[in-house]
C-alpha cells in the first residue's frame, strides 16, 4: 500500500514484473514501493531476479536451451530479423527454432508494419514476455558485471536506460489497450523495409478510425527531464514524409489491405478523410522545438490550401496536456459532489 505513489512507481512495477504476481510479491516482500527501491532490489547482490531468467529458460527447454537462449539474447540486443540473428550466430539456420519459440513456447511474436503483406519479408521478432525482455536487456546483456559482482554498475546502467526502455514498454501497453477497446480497425507500427533495426525510421503507431474518417499517426516520447528539444518534432515530420507515400505502402501490402489502402487513397482524394499527426511527450517543449512545431503546422496548412486534396492536422500533447487529460478522466470516473445541506431534526438523507 503506497498512497503517495508517483506515476513512475506504477510504471516501474509493470516494466520490471510485467504484472506477474510472483515478481510483484518479491518486491512487496522486500518493501519496495518506489521506482528507486524496486530497481535497487532487482539489481542487488542477493536478488532473486538476477538468475530468474536463466532458471526459467532451463526449466522450459532443458539442457539443450543454448540455441533458444542465444536467439532470445540477440533479439533483446536489437537484432530482430531472422537474417540478423543467423549472422550473429555464425550462419546457422534458425527457422525451426523461431517457429518453436513463437508457436510452442509463445516467448516471441512476429511484428509486421501496418499494411504489410502477410507473407512478406518485412518481419521482425520481439520477446513477448515482459520480464524476460527486461532481464535479457539489463542482466544478461551485462553478464560480465554480474560475474565480478559489480551490482552497483549494473544498477547504474539500468537507471540510465530507464527513460528509453520504459518508453518502449508504454508504446506496447497503449497499443494493446487500443486493440482491446475495439474502437479501431487497424492498429500497428510502420517502418521501412530497409531499416537497420526495428526502431530505425519507425512510426510508433498508426490508427485508422473509419467511423470518424481519420487516420492517426502517433509518435510518443517519454522523457524524465523537464524539457525536450526539437528532435521528436523532426521524427513526426519524417513520419509525415513516409506515410504520405500511400503508393509505396500499397505496393508492400497484402491483398486485403491493398483494397483498404486504395479505398483510403480514394477517400483522401475526395477530401473525406483527415490525417492527424500527434506527438505525445512527458516533458515541456523548448522554444526551439515550438518554432519547429509552428513551422510544420504552417507547412501542413499551406499544402491543404494548395497541393493536397485531403486535410492534415498536427497536434502536440506535452506534460501539462497529459496532466489536464488525467485530471479530466479522474473527474469523470471519480466525481466529487460539492454541496452543502442543512441538517434538521426529522430530516435525513439516504445514500
Amino acid at each position: 500500500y503506497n498512497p503517495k505513489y508517483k506515476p513512475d512507481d506504477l510504471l516501474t512495477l509493470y516494466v520490471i514484473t510485467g504484472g506477474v504476481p510472483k515478481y510483484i510479491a518479491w518486491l512487496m516482500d522486500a518493501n519496495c514501493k518506489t521506482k528507486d527501491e524496486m530497481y535497487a532490489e532487482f539489481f542487488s547482490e542477493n536478488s532473486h531476479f538476477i538468475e530468474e531468467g536463466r532458471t526459467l529458460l532451463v526449466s522450459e527447454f532443458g539442457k539443450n536451451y543454448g540455441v533458444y537462449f542465444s536467439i532470445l539474447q540477440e533479439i533483446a540486443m536489437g537484432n530482430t530479423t531472422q537474417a540478423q540473428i543467423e549472422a550473429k550466430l555464425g550462419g546457422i539456420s534458425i527457422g525451426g527454432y523461431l517457429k518453436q519459440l513463437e508457436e510452442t513456447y509463445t516467448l516471441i511474436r512476429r511484428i509486421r508494419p501496418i499494411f504489410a503483406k502477410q507473407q512478406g519479408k518485412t518481419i521482425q521478432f520481439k520477446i513477448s514476455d515482459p520480464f524476460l525482455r527486461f532481464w535479457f536487456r539489463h542482466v544478461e546483456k551485462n553478464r560480465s558485471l554480474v560475474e565480478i559482482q559489480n551490482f552497483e554498475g549494473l544498477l547504474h546502467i539500468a537507471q540510465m536506460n530507464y527513460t528509453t526502455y520504459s518508453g518502449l514498454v508504454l508504446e506496447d501497453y497503449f497499443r494493446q489497450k487500443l486493440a482491446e477497446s475495439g474502437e479501431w480497425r487497424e492498429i500497428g507500427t510502420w517502418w521501412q523495409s530497409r531499416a537497420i533495426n526495428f526502431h530505425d525510421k519507425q512510426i510508433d503507431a498508426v490508427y485508422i478510425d473509419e467511423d470518424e474518417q481519420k487516420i492517426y499517426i502517433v509518435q510518443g516520447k517519454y522523457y524524465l527531464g523537464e524539457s525536450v528539444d526539437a528532435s521528436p518534432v523532426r521524427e513526426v515530420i519524417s513520419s509525415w514524409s513516409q506515410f504520405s507515400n500511400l503508393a509505396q505502402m500499397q505496393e508492400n501490402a497484402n491483398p486485403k489491405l491493398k483494397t483498404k489502402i486504395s479505398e483510403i487513397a480514394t477517400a483522401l482524394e475526395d477530401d473525406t478523410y483527415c490525417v492527424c499527426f500527434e506527438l505525445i511527450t512527458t516533458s515541456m517543449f523548448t522554444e526551439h522545438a515550438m518554432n519547429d512545431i509552428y513551422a510544420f503546422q504552417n507547412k501542413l496548412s499551406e499544402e491543404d490550401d494548395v497541393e493536397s486534396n485531403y486535410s492534415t492536422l498536427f497536434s502536440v500533447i506535452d506534460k501539462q496536456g497529459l496532466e489536464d487529460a488525467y485530471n479530466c478522466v479522474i473527474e469523470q470516473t471519480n466525481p466529487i459532489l460539492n454541496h452543502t445541506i442543512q441538517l434538521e431534526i426529522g430530516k435525513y438523507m439516504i445514500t
Side-chain angles (χ1 to χ4, degrees), residues 269-297:
E269 291 176 359
D270 292 340
D271 198 25
T272 58
Y273 268 73
C274 177
V275 179
C276 305
F277 298 91
E278 291 188 352
L279 172 59
I280 304 173
T281 181
T282 52
S283 298
M284 303 296 288
F285 290 104
T286 63
E287 181 179 355
H288 187 55
M290 291 304 300
N291 290 336
D292 278 7
I293 289 171
Y294 296 142
F296 185 45
Q297 289 174 331

Side-chain angles (χ1 to χ4, degrees), residues 207-226:
Y207 311 141
I208 301 175
D209 187 339
E210 294 183 349
D211 295 329
E212 295 291 332
Q213 295 185 319
K214 291 181 179 179
I215 303 172
Y216 291 91
I217 317 316
V218 181
Q219 293 288 101
K221 294 297 174 184
Y222 181 72
Y223 293 97
L224 285 177
E226 288 298 318

Side-chain angles (χ1 to χ4, degrees), residues 109 126 133 168-176:
R109 69 178 188 270
K126 188 170 187 175
R133 192 161 62 236
L168 298 176
V169 173
L170 277 176
E171 288 177 16
D172 283 345
Y173 175 79
F174 285 120
R175 277 195 292 268
Q176 178 183 341

Side-chain angles (χ1 to χ4, degrees), residues 128-146:
S128 302
D129 184 277
F131 170 78
L132 281 178
R133 192 161 62 236
F134 183 84
W135 182 84
F136 269 108
R137 179 74 173 267
H138 297 96
V139 177
E140 193 58 31
K141 179 181 179 181
N142 302 297
R143 175 58 60 175
S144 59
L145 293 177
V146 177

Side-chain angles (χ1 to χ4, degrees), residues 192-203:
Q192 291 183 352
S193 59
R194 296 183 298 278
I196 297 174
N197 60 57
F198 182 75
H199 304 297
D200 285 350
K201 303 177 183 178
Q202 178 189 357
I203 296 174

Side-chain angles (χ1 to χ4, degrees), residues 116-128:
K117 297 177 182 178
Q118 192 67 18
Q119 302 301 323
K121 295 183 178 180
T122 35
I123 296 174
Q124 311 219 11
F125 293 94
K126 188 170 187 175
I127 298 176
S128 302

Side-chain angles (χ1 to χ4, degrees), residues 71-80 127 132-133 136-137 141:
I71 291 173
L72 292 171
Q73 187 173 21
E74 291 302 328
I75 293 174
M77 294 283 287
N79 300 307
T80 54
I127 298 176
L132 281 178
R133 192 161 62 236
F136 269 108
R137 179 74 173 267
K141 179 181 179 181

Side-chain angles (χ1 to χ4, degrees), residues 328-342:
C328 181
V329 171
I330 292 299
E331 290 177 2
Q332 292 174 350
T333 56
N334 298 298
I336 298 175
L337 295 179
N338 185 11
H339 183 68
T340 302
I341 60 174
Q342 184 69 35

